[in-house]
Amino acid sequence: MSDEPAVAEWLARGRAAVARIDLGPKVETVGRVESYADGIAFVSGLPQVALDELLRFETGQLGFARALEADRVAVVLLDPGDAIEAGARVFATGEVARTPVGEGLLGRVVDPLGRPLDGGEPIAAVAFHPVEREAPSIIARDLVTEPVETGLLVVDSMFALGRGQRELVIGDRATGKTSIAIDAIINQRHSDIVCVYVAIGQRTTSVERAIEAVRSGGAADRTIFVVAPAASPPGLQWIAPFAGFAMAEFFRDRGGHALVVVDDLSKHAVTHRELALLTREPPGREAYPGDIFYVHARLLERAAKLSKALGGGSLTALPIAETDSGNLSAYIPTNLISITDGQIVLDRRLFAANHRPAVDVGLSVSRVGGRAQPDALRDVSGRLRLQYTQFLELEMFSRFGGMSNARIEREMTRGERIRGLLTQPRFSPLRLADQVALLAALDAGVLDPVPARAIPALTARLPAHLDSAAAPSVAAIARNAPLDEAMRADLVARVRDLSTELTAHSS
Ligand code: ATP
Ligand code: MG
């Protein structure tokens, strides 16, 4: 009998629970497909649907509401919609599109909704975050002061990238845009930065090549691949960069660091235009709808260096854009240049002349990264850009012949050595110490006697040589110690070892 109070309480709780059940009539939000074509379904009977709300078709496909008209909704499909027929039922979900976030994504290839494309298990997600999120406010941000090392000498020495920065990589077709971004990702294999590579509307073969390059570069376990290939529904391609940012924000908001590559926003803009024309939004300049600037600004604003109070995490964005015949003043390129904190401009002629990475030093700029450059590198690279651009001018003039004196000869020799240093094969990132050693040696005139064509060989052999002959200096620079005279002399002497050897060989 001692159980009686317990039983009574149990009964009371049960009755209360039953009383809470709502047995009244419910409004179910079910609409009907009116028509479907090209990845967009027009649905009627859903007057209370909100913009961006996720809808589920009776045949299982997902889509989101893009345009709300008086009596119908334009729904952008996130799945292939060929099976959708007029009259099919559509259910409003009251949700927005979400993507899984968490460490479980690292090393995986997924679509923008986090569904595996690598044949692996479903993602073990920590949470599901909306793909669209608000950017951190100004108060929530801190100045960009820590570097993102790309391992590319031309970028790290002249257009340094900072954590939280947005730097555009822009150039014509096949000028090495993707390669620069992949190199930057590979260089994070020993850093604390997590990478997200978002491929939008790319050919499957080039996406496979990029993934393979990151894998063999040893950075795959720090990288998430978000892929919406050219053949996927336009809606999926449209949300891909937003989903990639959401995945990266998970790390940023925990005080971690992330780098997002968006390959590329020109294709994203074209997808946006396609969807806008299909939903009959009024076209503007170059037939893009007027909100394309807003769409890309909203996305890239989410890159940030967070304040200490918020954990000090960062999200760096490396969006890619394509130009037509080097035309930077077309609509999408000017938009993106004005949204980002600088641009790395790739040039078709430099690429054809085998000057790779084909960075146009005159047109490229990094507006906030200078402050983030490690001290040792800043010490040795301060005059590099000026020296090199002066050389380029001199070279152009000396084509006309006739100008020659000792000073000009000297500047030409030096300039050709700089060009040799800026030429770097793919997938062979240089560490900070390697770059500092090379630039200090350049400054000391150690490279001048080395034939310009032998410089790549010197660069290739340097890391191993430094490791065996100057390990303490390498370690000090990796710890971000300032470059003192002894260290500088040590590094210059090690480069001299190799330069003497190579000069002897080739003479
Ligand atoms: P797309 O416009 O097709 O996207 P892209 O501008 O992204 O092209 P990549 O795909 O990166 O260019 O490079 C084009 C080709 O140039 C590749 O085949 C690659 O092997 C070569 N390439 C790029 N960078 C270098 C480099 N630093 N050294 C040697 N070859 C390179
Ligand atoms: Mg590319």
Side-chain angles (χ1 to χ4, degrees):
M1 281 294 141
S2 62
D3 278 350
E4 236 171 61
V7 171
E9 191 200 324
W10 180 76
L11 277 175
R13 256 194 288 146
R15 281 196 197 98
V18 170
R20 277 198 300 273
I21 296 174
D22 179 10
L23 295 173
K26 255 196 210 121
V27 188
E28 206 186 2
T29 43
V30 182
R32 299 263 174 202
V33 174
E34 283 195 352
S35 63
Y36 169 81
D38 304 317
I40 293 190
F42 286 95
V43 175
S44 62
L46 289 172
Q48 56 293 71
V49 154
L51 210 57
D52 285 339
E53 183 169 339
L54 204 61
L55 296 106
R56 185 180 296 280
F57 290 77
E58 126 181 58
T59 31
Q61 297 90 340
L62 289 173
F64 63 92
R66 159 139 178 160
L68 308 177
E69 297 171 14
D71 50 355
R72 59 179 196 169
V73 184
V75 180
V76 175
L77 267 289
L78 294 169
D79 289 304
D82 305 328
I84 291 177
E85 282 171 5
R89 286 181 301 162
V90 186
F91 309 94
T93 63
E95 262 295 339
V96 292
R98 285 172 183 267
T99 186
V101 297
E103 264 127 10
L105 282 161
L106 293 173
R108 301 296 303 271
V109 185
V110 295
D111 84 351
L113 293 176
R115 298 175 290 203
L117 297 174
D118 51 9
E121 295 282 304
I123 303 299
V126 171
F128 286 82
H129 284 174
V131 297
E132 286 260 16
R133 284 179 66 197
E134 249 187 74
S137 66
I138 291 180
I139 306 281
R141 292 170 189 251
D142 209 341
L143 291 177
V144 172
T145 52
E146 305 144 294
V148 176
E149 284 160 28
T150 65
L152 293 163
L153 190 129
V154 59
V155 176
D156 292 348
S157 66
M158 293 193 269
F159 312 107
L161 220 62
R163 294 186 181 195
Q165 183 173 350
R166 298 155 296 178
E167 182 86 357
L168 182 67
V169 177
I170 186 164
D172 280 3
R173 275 204 58 251
T175 48
K177 303 181 297 294
T178 303
S179 302
I180 287 213
I182 295 297
D183 266 324
I185 291 179
I186 290 177
N187 201 43
Q188 307 313 319
R189 67 193 154 179
H190 301 307
S191 88
D192 57 344
I193 299 179
V194 163
C195 304
V196 181
Y197 176 75
V198 184
I200 306 167
Q202 308 278 328
R203 286 180 317 259
T204 317
T205 47
S206 44
V207 179
E208 275 166 4
R209 234 181 296 132
I211 295 175
E212 191 41 47
V214 174
R215 286 207 174 123
S216 46
D221 56 349
R222 308 198 54 78
T223 308
I224 303 168
F225 303 94
V226 182
V227 180
S232 60
L236 207 58
Q237 297 181 44
W238 191 86
I239 68 160
F242 295 94
F245 269 65
M247 293 173 193
E249 278 164 343
F250 169 78
F251 296 97
R252 178 196 75 186
D253 295 343
R254 289 192 318 170
H257 302 277
L259 169 71
V260 183
V261 170
V262 184
D263 197 1
D264 60 65
L265 281 181
S266 304
K267 295 210 173 61
H268 187 254
V270 168
T271 305
H272 185 69
R273 174 169 66 185
E274 184 185 325
L275 292 176
L277 293 175
L278 288 168
T279 53
R280 306 204 179 85
E281 286 163 46
R285 189 171 153 193
E286 290 182 24
Y288 289 101
D291 67 345
I292 183 66
F293 182 90
Y294 172 60
V295 167
H296 285 165
R298 189 172 73 200
L299 173 74
L300 294 171
E301 252 337 87
R302 289 160 70 177
K305 163 74 189 165
L306 293 185
S307 67
K308 283 204 186 62
L310 290 174
S314 73
L315 196 170
T316 310
L318 215 51
I320 295 176
E322 188 176 302
T323 49
D324 187 13
S325 319
N327 182 10
L328 294 175
S329 51
Y331 186 36
I332 299 302
T334 40
N335 274 357
L336 291 172
I337 285 173
S338 65
I339 294 169
T340 48
D341 309 305
Q343 69 272 352
I344 293 170
V345 180
L346 300 177
D347 182 86
R348 197 160 27 102
R349 277 162 306 224
L350 291 176
F351 190 85
N354 263 323
H355 182 86
R356 302 176 188 177
V359 176
D360 184 322
V361 172
L363 290 176
S364 303
V365 63
S366 170
R367 291 193 197 96
V368 298
R371 244 174 296 154
Q373 204 174 29
D375 293 337
L377 192 57
R378 184 178 314 129
D379 274 0
V380 292
S381 62
R383 288 176 44 243
L384 190 65
R385 185 168 177 208
L386 185 65
Q387 239 181 348
Y388 189 57
T389 41
Q390 277 174 351
F391 155 72
L392 292 177
E393 263 177 41
L394 207 57
E395 187 184 46
M396 204 164 68
F397 280 115
S398 64
R399 275 205 206 115
F400 303 116
M403 277 200 320
S404 186
N405 62 35
R407 193 179 66 85
I408 290 181
E409 291 276 309
R410 232 182 8 254
E411 279 184 28
M412 293 291 284
T413 310
R414 186 59 63 85
E416 279 159 11
R417 303 304 174 280
I418 299 178
R419 178 181 283 154
L421 287 182
L422 299 184
T423 309
Q424 196 173 335
R426 311 170 71 193
F427 319 139
S428 43
L430 291 168
R431 297 166 304 180
L432 188 55
D434 306 325
Q435 299 190 18
V436 171
L438 286 167
L439 294 173
L442 175 85
D443 216 32
V446 166
L447 297 180
D448 293 346
V450 185
R453 66 192 141 73
I455 296 222
L458 186 149
T459 313
R461 288 174 52 188
L462 185 68
H465 184 56
L466 286 186
D467 275 339
S468 66
S473 300
V474 171
I477 290 183
R479 280 199 312 274
N480 213 354
L483 187 67
D484 61 31
E485 278 316 308
M487 227 148 71
R488 182 191 276 256
D490 181 31
L491 293 172
V492 170
R494 299 293 75 82
V495 179
R496 186 175 283 122
D497 299 343
L498 291 177
S499 94
T500 325
E501 204 177 304
L502 283 163
T503 322
H505 260 291
S506 51
S507 57

